[in-house]
Amino acid sequence: MITRALGALAVLLSLAGPAHAQCAATRPDALGPFYTANAPERASTGRGLIVNGTVRSVRGCTPLPGARIEWWSVNPGGEYDNAHRATQRADGEGRYRYETDPPRPYAGRPPHVHVRITAPGHRTLVTQLYPKTGQRSIETDFVLAAE
């Protein structure tokens, strides 16, 4: 009897199909006062810190090809400038790679890189990355909430 019940349960579970993968949306952070729209399209604004990963949707963790990614951070002197602003698009598989100078702390703030990501059908994500001293790379997926 137990064998028959387990067999029936297995059939029901197989009919339900595979579970859809779920991703938690990336936690937002402050936009800050230094955001400027329409930064130049480029994948590098310096050398020393590489950020790479995939832009994804909370819906099934699917990649978001063509998502628009905007970056800004301080220069090696600790000031915001246009040379350290960039816009790029995720590739056909939602992947991105960005390189910049390692950010420095300023005015009581820890080193950080700002990022703003937009994709059709999803809420705009504004967040920040906080590299540790001496960290040369950050691998992270950005997960956008659906509208």
Side-chain angles (χ1 to χ4, degrees):
M1 178 127 137
I2 291 176
T3 304
R4 211 178 286 170
L6 289 175
L9 179 60
V11 168
L12 286 173
L13 289 174
S14 69
L15 291 174
H20 292 287
Q22 290 295 319
C23 289
T26 299
R27 191 178 187 136
D29 204 332
L31 178 68
F34 300 106
Y35 170 73
T36 301
N38 303 314
E41 295 233 359
R42 55 187 167 196
S44 177
T45 58
R47 297 263 182 260
L49 177 65
I50 296 170
V51 184
N52 66 335
T54 303
V55 180
R56 299 183 177 279
S57 172
V58 293
R59 291 187 216 131
C61 272
T62 56
L64 292 172
R68 185 171 193 257
I69 309 166
E70 298 173 87
W71 305 93
W72 67 104
S73 60
V74 295
N75 63 25
E79 297 176 345
Y80 286 92
D81 63 17
N82 289 334
H84 287 81
R85 298 177 191 282
T87 300
Q88 67 180 156
R89 296 268 179 194
D91 72 11
E93 295 179 13
R95 295 177 304 202
Y96 69 89
R97 182 185 186 279
Y98 172 67
E99 186 169 10
T100 192
D101 295 312
R104 342 172 2 155
Y106 69 91
R109 294 284 328 271
H112 60 281
V113 176
H114 295 268
V115 60
R116 181 179 186 271
I117 305 168
T118 55
H122 292 79
R123 291 188 207 141
T124 297
L125 170 65
V126 175
T127 193
Q128 297 178 34
L129 301 174
Y130 297 91
K132 295 176 178 71
T133 302
Q135 187 173 4
R136 308 283 294 167
S137 67
I138 298 173
E139 188 165 334
T140 188
D141 289 354
F142 294 114
V143 181
L144 278 60
E147 288 183 330

